[in-house]
Amino acid sequence: MGNSPGTNERSTHLPPVAGVSRSAPGSGPKARGGGLDAVSIIRGKRDGGELTDQQIDWVVDGFTRGIVADEQMSALAMAILWRGMTRRETARWTAAMITSGSRMDFTDLPRPTVDKHSTGGVGDKITLPLAPLVAACGAAVPQLSGRGLGHTGGTLDKLESIPGWRADVSVARMHEILADPAIGAVVCAAGADLAPADKRLYALRDVTGTVESIPLIASSIMSKKIAEGTAALVLDVKVGCGAFLKTVEEARELATAMVELGRDAGTRTVALLTAMDTPLGRTAGNALEVAESVEVLAGGGPADVVELTLTLAREMVELAGLDVDPADVLADGRAMDHWRAMVVAQGGDPDATLPVARHTEIVRATEDGVLTRLDAMGVGLAAWRLGAGRARQGEAVQAGAGVRMHAKPGDTVVAGQPLLTLHTDTPDAFADALRVLDGTVTIEADPDGKPGELVLERIG
């Protein structure tokens, strides 16, 4: 986010990084010179070497300025994917990403700051009830969020289904909202000057098959969260078929790396590994998930959404040093009050009717038994095909599109009863959605076991 007179954002960064200049474009590092050049750095990492602090600072700064070419940074990203990075390299890379832009400062707020980040899943609407709940507990929650891509939904897409709601909030306005004891939470888009090197690098990783690098994922997430200026952070690292990370081992590696990065930067950080084999809640889609989130704030809603909201809220409240039980705050209506105030503060109407898709189709159970599997990836892909998601950044989404789930694993079902209702404004999309749903549901007459735990591990 850019600096402007009268805001509380400072254009300071992490401690000065050797070799990095913030001079005007065109006066930075050369493609070769001073003993550093992109080709040597790429070769060094390709051959299994460890990048020096000076090399990392130089290449990130050069890439930000356009001196290191996209194809060179893509090659380096591939080398990092294959060879990995040490903890020191990852920390330095993250610091260089932060230094490429501005760093926000909320230390003048009259309440402690704490944020949450999720690595993304199907039906993951947790930010919507969580941010106002933690604000109602007495913290300030500066939640910088994104839009969805592919089968995972985006928090901003969900909130933009509320008539009038705006994702773009100035830094000065963020401070006003966070300082207001009746609001205390803001969910908005990150500004262009927040870790701009990471934004450019992610766009390259997305089209060069290098998204899966754990050090680069950790750096991408934490550079923005640290630059955001929150004092404490809770990470929700999803694992399972509907998540980016499929195994507990991968999720643990990423969570550990991010917790270490946060703590090294002075941000109190913990991580939870949470299951994403089954969608969260009973809806996947933008307005559908907003409505379900309001149910949670009103004291109802699906048990898994309530459980994870309260679990994350307790972690956030503890990191913020507050002595309050979020369950009490949810039960007495204060969280709902903060939700309504938060929506109004960003131009939305909390009483407005949410968009509804024009067409629906029902998927029914084909036999009697117990629903033992509802594949999160299949449901997420179906919601995407119905119009709730996008294939590439910038595409429009349908506010009312998505999937409503009438049964979850562990429920007894009978042949012919509705399992899923598909929602869309484009009925031609039903065929594709039904195709990706094929094999998503398993019903057994005499199942073994029961649904697994939602929270798998805590790190930090």
Side-chain angles (χ1 to χ4, degrees):
M1 296 189 175
N3 297 314
S4 60
T7 72
N8 290 311
E9 182 184 2
R10 300 175 185 170
S11 54
T12 54
H13 313 285
L14 292 181
V17 181
V20 175
S21 166
R22 295 309 304 273
S23 53
S27 61
K30 304 297 184 184
R32 291 177 180 271
L36 294 168
D37 69 85
V39 174
S40 296
I41 292 171
I42 294 164
R43 284 175 176 162
K45 178 50 70 176
R46 179 199 66 188
D47 295 340
E50 185 174 336
L51 300 179
T52 67
D53 289 352
Q54 187 182 24
Q55 287 175 321
I56 291 171
D57 300 339
W58 184 89
V59 78
V60 171
D61 186 50
F63 176 61
T64 305
R65 298 175 184 277
I67 294 168
V68 173
D70 285 359
E71 56 267 30
Q72 291 175 315
M73 188 56 104
S74 296
L76 180 57
M78 183 62 75
I80 291 170
L81 173 69
W82 280 104
R83 293 296 190 173
M85 287 201 289
T86 65
R87 176 177 177 178
R88 181 201 59 79
E89 285 178 290
T90 306
R92 191 68 175 203
W93 189 276
T94 304
M97 290 286 170
I98 295 169
T99 303
S100 73
S102 298
R103 185 166 182 176
M104 302 173 71
D105 183 5
F106 295 117
T107 55
D108 61 339
L109 289 175
R111 52 177 62 201
T113 54
V114 61
D115 191 12
K116 170 275 229 182
H117 177 81
S118 168
T119 57
V122 180
D124 184 7
K125 56 196 64 75
I126 300 300
T127 291
L128 277 64
L130 179 64
L133 171 58
V134 175
C137 291
V141 186
Q143 177 81 59
L144 300 183
S145 297
R147 292 179 172 82
L149 190 65
H151 76 282
T152 59
T155 298
L156 300 184
D157 295 322
K158 303 180 206 305
L159 287 166
E160 284 176 336
S161 68
I162 301 172
W165 188 89
R166 298 186 301 272
D168 294 325
V169 180
S170 70
V171 175
R173 181 59 178 148
M174 283 184 69
H175 275 78
E176 291 174 359
I177 294 171
L178 293 171
D180 188 335
I183 312 173
V186 59
V187 182
C188 63
D193 198 36
L194 200 77
D198 176 69
K199 293 182 178 68
R200 288 196 63 208
L201 178 58
Y202 186 85
L204 289 183
R205 290 167 55 213
D206 191 40
V207 297
T208 57
T210 54
V211 169
E212 293 83 356
S213 167
I214 294 293
L216 293 181
I217 296 170
S219 175
S220 177
I221 292 170
M222 294 304 294
S223 63
K224 293 188 286 287
K225 287 300 176 182
I226 295 168
E228 175 193 281
T230 186
L233 175 65
V234 176
L235 300 161
D236 180 5
V237 181
K238 303 294 187 188
V239 56
C241 71
F244 178 71
L245 301 169
K246 308 302 181 186
T247 69
V248 170
E249 291 74 21
E250 291 175 318
R252 186 184 297 122
E253 181 184 357
L254 175 61
T256 300
M258 292 193 294
V259 168
E260 290 173 346
L261 287 172
R263 291 184 171 179
D264 288 348
T267 302
R268 299 185 297 278
T269 308
V270 300
L272 301 182
L273 308 190
T274 65
M276 186 36 69
D277 287 316
T278 299
L280 268 171
R282 291 182 177 265
T283 59
N286 300 311
L288 293 171
E289 293 189 49
V290 172
E292 190 168 80
S293 300
V294 173
E295 291 176 11
V296 172
L297 289 163
D304 57 347
V305 177
V306 175
E307 177 188 349
L308 188 53
T309 299
L310 289 175
T311 299
L312 291 168
R314 290 185 176 112
E315 294 284 352
M316 293 171 72
V317 165
E318 181 177 349
L319 284 182
L322 299 170
D323 184 16
V324 59
D325 186 350
D328 295 336
V329 177
L330 183 62
D332 68 19
R334 280 179 283 167
M336 176 65 87
D337 292 340
H338 280 255
W339 159 263
R340 293 177 61 83
M342 184 180 78
V343 170
V344 170
Q346 292 181 237
D349 181 356
D351 296 316
T353 301
L354 293 169
V356 177
R358 293 192 295 269
H359 304 276
T360 60
E361 182 151 329
I362 296 174
V363 176
R364 301 181 184 275
T366 57
E367 57 190 306
D368 298 349
V370 175
L371 180 65
T372 57
R373 184 177 69 93
L374 180 59
D375 184 87
M377 178 62 80
V379 172
L381 289 173
W384 174 17
R385 300 294 197 270
L386 292 166
R390 55 175 63 84
R392 58 185 58 84
Q393 294 290 355
E395 288 183 346
V397 297
Q398 295 179 29
V403 179
R404 182 178 297 278
M405 293 154 267
H406 303 289
K408 296 287 292 288
D411 292 346
T412 299
V413 300
V414 297
Q417 84 168 65
L419 292 180
L420 308 169
T421 299
L422 314 184
H423 300 252
T424 187
D425 291 333
T426 51
D428 289 347
F430 284 133
D432 202 16
L434 291 169
R435 180 183 61 79
V436 298
L437 285 169
D438 186 34
T440 293
V441 172
T442 301
I443 298 172
E444 300 181 57
D446 188 20
D448 292 327
K450 59 182 181 179
E453 295 295 320
L454 182 59
V455 179
L456 307 176
E457 287 185 25
R458 183 184 187 276
I459 294 174

